[in-house]
Amino acid sequence: MTEAPPISAPSRLSDLFSGANLFPTLMLGGGISMHAIETYITATLMPSIVRDIGGLSLFAWATTLYVAASVVGSIFVAVRPAGVSLNRCYVGGAALFGAGSFICAVAPVIEIVLVGRAVQGLGAGLLVTLGYSFIRFVYPEALWRKASTLYAAIWGVATFLGPSIGGIFANGSAWREAFAILVPIALAMALLAPRRLPRGEDRHQVAPAPYAQIALLLASVLFVSFAGSVEAVPLRAALVGLATVAIFAMVAIERRARARLLPAGAVRLSSMLARIYLIMLLMLVALASDIYIPYFLQGLHGVTPLMSGYLVAVLALGWTAAAFLTAGLSGRRAVVSIAAGTLVEAVSTGALLVLLARANPDSSVATLAPATIAIFGMGFGVGMGWAHLVTLVLKRAPEDEKDKASAAITTMQSLGSAFGAALAGVVANSTGLLDPGGVAGNISAASWLYGLFALPGLAAFVLAVSLLRQR
């Protein structure tokens, strides 16, 4: 049973912003926007922060703690105590995000910034998960896919806007103001939530929290995040290995536990729901190889830092464009779009092996243009499938476990991005980026990186084809 407003069979994206849907859409989209844009703003601000207050050795932990805390926030939505409604969770998420932003704004040392980032991440995890959890309470089913499309587009736009906004504040050494400006916005959202959002599910009985699975999942995120910040290649590999072991241990416990973290069947490959989640994870792992695109554009193609940022931003434009172009698809055509998207992402990623992994010191347009198209294709492939994957999760999850299903979407995002970034670091640093370095090392590292990172996309394609057969 839902609390959706009585709108009859809406079919346009604009219906998300009409009538009773307007304020919930602004609230939920705003929560996801804050999380997504802040991720990229902070990445741009961190060099300025450590220049002002020190703490270069703790640089990577600003992201590590944020990601780990966001996973905890996303899980809380699924295991929250009885009587805690979704709109109360939203109040808590917005308040925590504002409190974390305030702590970062006034921090005298890097350690306090890290505390603020952890608090921010906890609130962000709640907000982004609630964006998916509220879909079935705010909108009629005919609008679920449109809402998922909008939220997918928000992530794409954030990839473009975040570095640009962060750059504005970083250029003026105004990083404190970049955090402070978020505080009143977050507090306003917290105050409006009880009046503008429905209560959502208000449960009276809750199963015991899956503490063992949560601990192992957090351990895997911390291991893999730390792997991306250490210099010793053997230690990187060991940390990624430990993260993988933690994931397998979590899956083993999840299969037998009475207190589950994920919805029923989500850890068995024979289940359609498990394959949907795995496609999400693999697509984001492949996409994470984009973190090295600016480096290779500058080192091999003579592109300026500013221009390399804009060239990478076309990935976000691809994601957004595909999300809107495929928004009207449903049923089998939606699953075809997922399969086609995974293939487009895999082919585009693999194409960079040829197009990016070569010396082009004169920034030849003949070389850069095809590479830019491939970068666009990486984002376009994800955009073709993401909203439809979200909709399938909401439809396929058991009725009494939709909170878990929604929380798991955010968990897959965090795990895919964290694992992908760490693995990209291991591959690049182990195949020439550090030794021998220079042009030859960059070509070798780029070749290995984009050759190997096409494989997760191909694996996702195989899984997507299996969804077609099952339907």
Side-chain angles (χ1 to χ4, degrees):
M1 186 172 181
T2 68
E3 302 173 24
I7 298 178
S8 58
S11 60
R12 297 168 300 174
L13 199 64
S14 60
D15 289 323
L16 295 172
F17 298 93
S18 64
N21 290 333
L22 174 61
F23 280 105
T25 298
L26 294 177
M27 295 285 289
L28 301 177
I32 293 175
S33 297
M34 284 178 45
H35 171 44
I37 293 177
E38 177 61 14
T39 299
Y40 296 102
I41 287 178
T42 304
T44 307
L45 291 175
M46 278 306 296
S48 298
I49 294 174
V50 298
R51 278 196 302 269
D52 282 357
I53 61 176
L56 182 60
S57 62
L58 299 174
F59 188 100
W61 286 96
T63 299
T64 297
L65 293 176
Y66 185 85
V67 171
S70 69
V71 172
V72 175
S74 69
I75 292 171
F76 178 82
V77 174
V79 300
R80 66 188 188 279
V84 178
S85 59
L86 290 179
N87 62 356
R88 290 177 63 186
C89 285
Y90 189 100
V91 172
L96 284 168
F97 192 90
S101 300
F102 178 78
I103 293 170
C104 291
V106 301
V109 293
I110 192 66
E111 288 80 3
I112 303 300
V113 171
L114 297 182
V115 172
R117 287 292 285 162
V119 176
Q120 255 192 337
L122 187 61
L126 283 164
L127 290 175
V128 73
T129 302
L130 289 167
Y132 296 120
S133 297
F134 264 116
I135 285 178
R136 70 187 195 277
F137 293 103
V138 171
Y139 310 111
E141 186 172 337
L143 274 180
W144 287 5
R145 184 173 288 102
K146 301 295 189 302
S148 301
T149 297
L150 177 65
Y151 298 160
I154 286 173
W155 280 99
V157 172
T159 309
F160 182 78
L161 291 180
S164 301
I165 296 172
I168 293 172
F169 285 99
N171 286 338
S173 296
W175 61 269
R176 293 186 186 277
E177 288 82 352
F179 287 111
I181 199 172
L182 297 171
V183 177
I185 298 173
L187 292 181
M189 293 168 68
L191 291 173
L192 288 170
R195 286 172 283 181
R196 296 299 184 181
L197 292 174
R199 286 186 58 82
E201 186 180 0
D202 188 5
R203 299 171 301 173
H204 300 288
Q205 292 184 347
V206 180
Y211 293 113
Q213 296 97 304
I214 293 172
L216 287 167
L217 189 61
L218 286 178
S220 72
V221 171
L222 290 173
F223 282 140
V224 79
S225 299
F226 189 61
S229 65
V230 299
E231 295 183 3
V233 173
L235 181 56
R236 282 177 180 268
L239 288 167
V240 172
L242 286 173
T244 304
V245 170
I247 288 294
F248 277 107
M250 188 275 285
V251 170
I253 293 173
E254 180 77 1
R255 284 183 172 180
R256 297 171 176 79
R258 187 175 72 88
R260 288 182 287 102
L261 177 63
L262 302 173
V267 292
R268 299 185 183 278
L269 202 55
S270 58
S271 162
M272 184 176 184
L273 193 59
R275 279 173 279 162
I276 294 168
Y277 283 135
L278 192 52
I279 291 169
M280 287 179 157
L281 180 73
L282 290 169
M283 291 183 82
L284 289 180
V285 167
L287 195 68
S289 62
D290 72 337
I291 64 173
Y292 281 99
I293 290 177
Y295 186 88
F296 293 132
L297 284 172
Q298 294 172 44
L300 293 174
H301 298 268
V303 177
T304 64
L306 179 62
M307 183 57 66
S308 69
Y310 282 118
L311 288 177
V312 175
V314 303
L315 184 149
L317 297 179
W319 182 325
T320 304
F324 284 118
L325 287 173
T326 63
L329 302 179
S330 61
R332 183 176 178 83
R333 291 194 301 166
V335 182
V336 169
S337 184
I338 294 170
T342 59
L343 187 59
V344 168
E345 184 192 25
V347 171
S348 299
T349 304
L352 292 179
L353 185 158
V354 176
L355 300 173
L356 199 61
R358 57 189 297 186
N360 178 35
D362 298 326
S363 303
S364 167
V365 174
T367 300
L368 284 178
T372 303
I373 293 172
I375 294 168
F376 180 88
M378 290 174 68
F380 195 88
V382 177
M384 289 179 69
W386 190 262
H388 303 304
L389 289 165
V390 170
T391 302
L392 282 176
V393 167
L394 296 177
K395 288 186 174 181
R396 290 284 176 171
E399 191 61 36
D400 60 343
E401 294 192 308
K402 291 192 183 293
D403 277 347
K404 288 183 180 180
S406 300
I409 294 170
T410 308
T411 301
M412 293 303 113
Q413 284 184 307
S414 297
L415 285 178
S417 298
F419 268 90
L423 290 173
V426 171
V427 171
N429 290 332
S430 303
T431 56
L433 193 68
L434 299 179
D435 184 18
V439 172
N442 284 350
I443 291 175
S444 174
S447 299
W448 279 97
L449 180 65
Y450 295 106
L452 290 175
F453 270 68
L455 298 179
L458 292 175
F461 173 69
V462 173
L463 290 170
V465 170
S466 75
L467 297 185
L468 277 171
R469 292 173 178 168
Q470 184 166 335
R471 291 179 70 88

